[in-house]
């Protein structure tokens, strides 16, 4: 902004190596697998520097292998929304504060706005588009509909991913556990109680 | 059918009665208290929900028309400055840049940090943002004021040098007083008054006087204000817009670019929340429509202008703050002799800081009432309608003041309210809530804990809401077609803000035609589908469903005629219609088979809604619409060591006319309570008084309630048959959020015996009220 220079998070991303950066972002819930980039013992990527221009990247998106090029400063969310036209994950705060962009990376929920695209190299990413199989809604999706766990729906993609991760690790033991799992997912329409009810119904085997 | 009067059974609970209403020709017999319905009134999951849970729903942010380029806006960093120089040329040559646009010109006085200065479009969003830094701009900073109290001083820097014209949208409450005078930063509005308040105060034996303040509150819809605009020809365009009012977007774009309204095609298939801030193509503090259109024209490409979260906080509207001096007078027996409120509030550079109807129109047994509310201009982004504009802040002050008076009178606050409220539905709700909430016993426990001076305290409070049925006549034209293949399609240029109107509309069609809900296709979300209303003022359901029903009844009429012919009925009345199809005596024809006999492709009929015809049992502010009543009881848990307040339980009793879909209606009420809880306990825009900028413009620092901050919520519908329109629907979006913060504040007062007279009820304020730390500063801009 003009005469007062404003440092944006994105311009900061550009100035530092990606490993340092991602190391600063804590995973918001305990996760079974180490989150990408969080393992300090991980070897450097193939020993070659990335960028500043587009660099090759491979990962799996909802089970489908992806081979593409992305600039190292690209976040996973930007890659999904702009390059892969997977617009289910939403950009709301762009700083890890709202959870609307939550995706699963090797099963662990991550805010994709705080994850660099190159940090999912070789990993498996699941987005809301990957929850249904063969056009069949998943039990969690059906429960969201049944319990009216969505109003405008803008938080729902991220909410679903946090809840799916909880169900995957069989953690939806009671309302408090669900509330904890979605503590990082903001909903302005106020669907929280219905989200909790939906998740618990799936955990109990209903939909 | 000529105009005629019809008898209706109206009322609520066991208080039913017959009224006569005059109906225009062609209006279907209204559904009233005697009507039994099968689909309407039953819980139905949203019919569009699958698109939302699979990520398939495309919101404005998700639109990618071919060749799309991206806009970014340069915003003024100063709270007040004169623009000295603006040179866009360096940005024009930046990588990817396709168009540049000056929005302000040298010499302009810019009035808040965040105001539009210039804009550009580039191939990628990153390029657009990078190029902004190349714009050469020079400002002369000017004296400014962002604090409401400071702005009221005679020597405060003047925000507006000319008279301010009021901006109002479909989100504003109809009938809000206009006609005002301006002095310094103060803009005086006519007061709401009855009786003689000064005399009432002279007569009083017990009085209470105190000042209450509330914070500025941002809408924070998760989808930011956004528009994607494409020129289809030099004189026509398509705009995808995150809006609560498709036609308000169309009309603004037509006006700004000199186009015919029918050449502006607006699309809002899905939208990620609005709460009152999304009307027109622009945001209240940013000319988004103009910027996107000009850039798209220059770039010869569709342009996406999607605000980021910071911009959303600065320039897209807010609920104004308030400073309310409340004076109450009562006779020795506890009857109120006077209610006087003098309120000031700042909507930044905008108007709209009134405090609603609560003090004036709920405790109406009081003979003398005067409520004055005035705007104070400050150098901050403009306010705009926010879910029940004025009401939550007004409710907070009057309800907490009543509780303080009740203590002085030695009265139960609920008794004091019952003694002065004349709305029969609200009386019913107070009584019902008293039992269900176990008010009397809970009050005893609260008093006991206070007496024993326990660390952890409980508190209980009760507060009321008032809203009007602002359902609009003649605004909606719904069209329904039944095809030869048996397909049923309802079309209207309506948007679903998240309230669930898509499903409710389908229910009405299913009910009338006796077809399965799953067979009804609802097409909404574009201006091509026929006139509709904005989703504001809680008027969507009451404006739209009667028009949909009229269309469905007209189609049914034609289907019955067709069946009469097919089955050789002697009189039209001999045709019986049910879920299988039509029957005449022993002969029948299934619905799909009947449809095959439709001449041409389809039967199509349109329907409109006449003006509101009944308003039972209580009129809103003496007008022609019904007054909607609501009451909420709140319980809090408060730690006297840390000052932390948790809202643990809210019981909400609301009048919502005929409940069309209890599932989505309940969600909407729950959402209103959660918004109100968040307003009560954590949200506040923090302005830096020395630099004039907002300190917390993102969601990490602007705290909205998360899953662990919400109370257990019980919702009770008090279904009221008002005779307002042919479906009996009235609104609930706004009433649900009105009393929550007030009830929570009253509960905190009961827990500690000292009122916290400023929202939000943060730990520092609670500790100050407990005398544990020095008194915190009052209102924070
Ligand atoms: S957009 Fe990623 S957490 Fe908010
Ligand atoms: S449903 Fe609207 S933000 Fe959650």
């Amino acid at each position: 902004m003009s005469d007062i220079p404003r440092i944006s998070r994105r311009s900061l991303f550009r100035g530092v190596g990606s490993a340092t950066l991602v190391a600063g972002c804590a995973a918001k819930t305990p996760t079974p697998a180490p989150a990408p980039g969080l393992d300090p013992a991980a070897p450097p990527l193939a020993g070659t520097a990335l960028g500043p221009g587009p660099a090759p990247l491979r990962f799996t998106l909802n089970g489908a292998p992806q081979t593409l090029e992305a600039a190292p400063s690209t976040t996973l969310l930007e890659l999904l929304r702009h390059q892969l036209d997977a617009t289910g994950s939403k950009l709301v705060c762009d700083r890890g504060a709202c959870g609307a962009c939550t995706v699963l990376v090797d099963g662990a929920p991550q805010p994709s706005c705080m994850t660099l695209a190159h940090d999912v190299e070789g990993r498996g990413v699941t987005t809301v588009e990957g929850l249904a199989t063969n056009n069949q809604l998943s039990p969690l999706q059906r429960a969201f509909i049944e319990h009216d766990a969505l109003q405008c729906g803008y938080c729902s993609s991220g909410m679903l991913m946090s809840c799916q991760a909880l169900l995957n690790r069989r953690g939806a033991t009671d309302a408090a556990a669900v509330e904890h799992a979605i503590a990082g997912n903001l909903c302005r329409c106020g669907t929280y109680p219905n989200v909790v009810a939906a998740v618990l119904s799936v955990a109990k085997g209903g939909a | 059918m000529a105009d005629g009067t019809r008898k209706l059974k109206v009322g609520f609970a066991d208080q039913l009665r017959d009224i006569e209403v005059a109906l225009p020709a062609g209006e279907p017999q209204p559904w009233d208290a005697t009507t039994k319905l099968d689909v309407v009134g039953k819980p139905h999951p949203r019919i569009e929900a699958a698109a939302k849970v699979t990520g398939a729903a495309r919101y404005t942010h998700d639109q990618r028309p071919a060749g799309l380029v991206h806009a970014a806006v340069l915003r003024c960093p100063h709270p007040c400055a004169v623009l000295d120089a603006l040179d866009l040329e360096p940005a024009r040559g930046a990588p990817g840049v396709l168009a540049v646009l000056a929005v302000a010109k040298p010499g302009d006085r810019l009035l808040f940090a965040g105001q539009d200065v210039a804009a550009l479009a580039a191939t990628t969003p990153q390029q657009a943002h990078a190029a902004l830094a190349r714009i050469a701009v020079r400002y002369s900073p000017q004296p400014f004021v962002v604090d409401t109290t400071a702005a009221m001083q005679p020597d405060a820097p003047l925000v507006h040098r000319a008279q301010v014209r009021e901006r109002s949208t479909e989100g504003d409450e109809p009938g809000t007083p206009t006609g005002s005078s301006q002095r310094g930063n103060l803009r005086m509005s006519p007061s709401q008054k009855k009786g003689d308040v000064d005399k009432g105060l002279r007569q009083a034996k017990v009085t209470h006087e105190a000042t209450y303040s509330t914070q500025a509150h941002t809408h924070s819809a998760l989808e930011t204000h956004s528009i994607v605009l494409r020129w289809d020809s030099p004189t026509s365009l398509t705009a995808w817009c995150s809006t609560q009012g498709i036609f308000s977007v169309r009309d603004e774009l037509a006006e700004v670019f000199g186009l015919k309204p029918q050449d502006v095609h607006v699309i809002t298939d899905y939208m990620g929340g609005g709460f009152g801030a999304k009307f027109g193509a622009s945001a209240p503090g940013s000319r988004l429509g103009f910027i996107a259109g000009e850039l798209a024209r220059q770039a010869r490409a569709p342009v996406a202008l999607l605000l980021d979260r910071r911009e959303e906080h600065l320039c897209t509207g807010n609920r104004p703050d308030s400073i309310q001096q409340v004076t109450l007078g009562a006779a020795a027996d506890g009857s109120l002799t006077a209610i006087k409120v003098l309120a000031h509030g700042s909507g930044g550079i905008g108007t709209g800081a009134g405090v609603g109807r609560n003090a004036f129109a709920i405790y109406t047994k009081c003979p003398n009432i005067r409520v004055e509310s005035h705007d104070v201009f400050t150098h901050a982004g403009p306010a705009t309608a926010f879910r029940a504009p004025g009401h939550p802040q007004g409710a907070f002050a009057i309800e907490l003041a009543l509780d303080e008076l009740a203590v002085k009178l030695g009265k139960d606050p609920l008794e004091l309210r019952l003694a002065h409220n004349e709305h029969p539905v609200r009386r019913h709700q107070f009584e019902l809530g008293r039992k269900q909430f176990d008010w009397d016993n809970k009050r005893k426990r609260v008093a006991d804990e206070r007496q024993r001076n326990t660390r952890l305290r409980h508190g209980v409070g009760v507060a009321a809401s008032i809203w009007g049925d602002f359902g609009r006549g003649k605004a909606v034209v719904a069209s329904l077609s039944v095809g030869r293949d048996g397909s049923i399609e309802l079309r209207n240029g309506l948007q679903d803000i998240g309230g669930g109107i898509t499903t409710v509309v389908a229910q009405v069609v299913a009910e009338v035609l006796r077809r399965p809900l799953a067979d009804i296709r609802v097409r909404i979300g574009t201006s091509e589908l026929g006139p509709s209303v904005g989703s504001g003022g809680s008027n969507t359901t009451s404006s739209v469903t009667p028009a949909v029903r009229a269309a469905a009844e007209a189609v049914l009429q034609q289907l019955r005629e067709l069946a009469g012919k097919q089955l050789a009925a002697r009189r039209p009345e001999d045709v019986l219609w049910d879920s299988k199809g039509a029957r005449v005596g022993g002969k029948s024809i299934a619905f799909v088979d009947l449809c095959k006999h439709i001449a041409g492709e389809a039967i199509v009929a349109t329907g409109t809604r006449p003006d509101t015809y009944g308003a039972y049992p209580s009129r809103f502010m003496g007008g022609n619409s019904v007054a909607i009543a609501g009451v909420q009881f709140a319980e809090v848990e408060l730690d006297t060591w840390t000052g932390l307040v948790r809202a643990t339980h809210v019981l909400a009793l609301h009048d919502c006319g005929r409940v069309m879909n209890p599932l989505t209606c309940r969600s909407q009420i729950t959402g209103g309570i959660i918004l109100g809880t968040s307003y009560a306990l954590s949200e506040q825009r923090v302005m830096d008084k020395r630099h004039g900028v907002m300190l917390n413009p993102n969601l990490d620092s602007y705290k909205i309630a998360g899953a662990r901050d919400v109370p257990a919520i019980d919702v009770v519908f008090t279904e009221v048959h008002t005779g307002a329109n042919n479906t009996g629907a009235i609104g609930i979006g706004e009433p649900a959020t009105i009393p929550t913060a007030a009830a929570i504040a009253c509960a905190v007062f009961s827990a500690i015996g000292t009122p916290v007279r400023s929202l939000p009820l943060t730990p520092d304020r609670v500790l100050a009220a407990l005398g544990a730390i020095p008194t915190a500063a009052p209102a924070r801009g």
Side-chain angles (χ1 to χ4, degrees), chain B residues 276-495:
Chain B
K278 288 181 177 166
F279 287 97
S282 295
S286 185
R287 296 168 67 194
L288 306 181
F290 163 73
I291 293 170
E294 281 298 322
L295 290 175
R297 189 128 74 180
Q298 269 192 49
R300 298 174 173 279
V303 162
L305 176 45
L306 319 174
L307 294 191
D308 66 23
R309 185 52 50 185
R310 180 173 170 278
E311 295 174 295
E312 187 71 9
H313 273 100
L314 298 183
C315 60
T316 69
N318 52 70
R319 183 188 299 287
D321 64 4
S322 75
I323 303 164
Q324 306 175 55
Q325 267 171 274
V326 180
T327 315
L328 303 177
D333 68 353
S335 53
L336 287 171
T337 57
I339 297 175
K340 182 168 132 186
V341 179
L342 173 60
H344 291 90
S346 182
I349 63 164
T351 59
V355 292
R357 313 293 198 182
N358 306 68
F360 188 72
I362 294 181
Y363 302 108
T364 44
K365 273 256 175 79
C366 176
N368 308 299
I369 306 181
R370 188 167 79 217
V371 180
E372 280 174 81
S373 32
H374 306 308
D375 285 304
V376 180
F377 295 115
T378 53
H379 288 99
T384 197
F386 188 171
R387 209 166 183 174
H391 286 237
Q393 54 266 53
F396 163 71
I398 186 64
E399 301 278 6
L400 184 52
L402 278 175
D403 273 23
E404 293 188 57
L405 180 73
V407 169
K408 286 188 186 171
L409 291 166
K411 275 198 169 286
D412 179 333
L414 182 54
E415 293 292 350
L416 186 65
R417 284 169 173 78
L418 269 168
H420 293 92
N421 162 74
E422 296 174 288
H423 194 304
V425 178
R426 197 181 290 111
R427 292 187 67 80
H428 173 75
Q429 293 166 335
F430 276 131
E431 298 284 13
L432 203 65
R434 168 182 231 152
K435 277 192 227 114
Q436 189 163 337
F437 190 74
D438 198 14
W439 172 259
D440 299 318
N441 285 322
K442 283 199 168 130
R443 289 237 321 148
K444 282 192 202 118
R445 178 172 77 154
V446 165
D448 177 58
E449 286 176 357
R450 211 170 50 228
Q451 194 119 51
R452 288 191 291 120
N453 210 9
T454 55
R455 171 180 171 178
L456 197 69
R457 304 273 178 87
H458 291 85
V460 290
V462 60
S465 67
I466 179 166
W467 195 253
D469 165 31
F470 302 124
R472 284 169 56 198
K474 304 179 182 102
V476 178
V477 182
S479 107
L480 182 69
S481 76
V482 171
R484 282 170 66 89
D485 56 356
S487 61
I488 306 170
E489 187 171 282
L490 186 282
R491 301 187 200 103
N492 183 240
L494 164 76
Q495 58 292 314

Side-chain angles (χ1 to χ4, degrees), chain A residues 1-4 6 10 14 73-74 78 81-82 85-95 97-98 100 128-132 137 141-142 144-148 150-157 160 176 178-180 182-183 185-194 196, chain B residues 45-46 48-50 52-55 57-59 61-62 64 70 74-78 125-126 137 139 217-224 271-273 275 308-310 386 497-498 663-664 667-668 670-672 674-675 678 683 698-700 702 704-708 710 713:
Chain A
M1 227 189 215
S2 64
D3 55 350
I4 299 178
R6 192 162 70 87
R10 189 74 68 252
R14 290 224 172 75
S73 61
T74 309
E78 288 169 340
R81 292 182 53 84
H82 291 279
D85 200 33
T87 56
S89 310
K90 304 299 183 209
L91 173 74
V92 168
C93 70
D94 205 13
R95 59 169 59 177
C98 76
V128 69
E129 289 92 345
L131 287 181
L137 296 181
Q141 288 171 316
R142 286 204 306 274
F144 260 56
I145 297 174
E146 216 52 44
H147 291 266
D148 206 36
L150 61 150
Q151 291 186 38
C152 78
Y154 216 68
C155 68
S156 307
S157 318
L160 281 158
V178 183
E179 284 168 6
H180 180 80
I182 59 168
N185 292 88
L186 296 178
C187 171
R188 191 51 156 171
C189 299
T191 58
Y192 307 121
N194 294 359
V196 172
Chain B
R46 291 165 205 257
E48 81 289 6
K52 290 179 177 174
V53 298
T54 53
R58 291 259 175 180
Y59 296 73
H61 273 243
D62 306 329
R64 304 277 183 272
H70 302 267
L74 179 72
R75 301 193 172 280
C76 179
H78 304 289
Q126 290 80 358
V137 57
Y139 305 94
H217 179 205
T218 67
H219 298 69
S220 296
L222 286 203
E223 186 181 35
T224 59
M271 61 108 48
F275 309 105
D308 66 23
R309 185 52 50 185
R310 180 173 170 278
F386 188 171
I497 188 177
L663 183 66
T664 51
S667 293
Q668 210 175 143
T670 303
I674 291 173
L675 179 70
S678 190
E683 290 184 45
N698 206 324
L699 295 172
D700 51 348
Y702 184 90
I704 79 176
R708 292 181 294 191
V710 307
I713 296 168

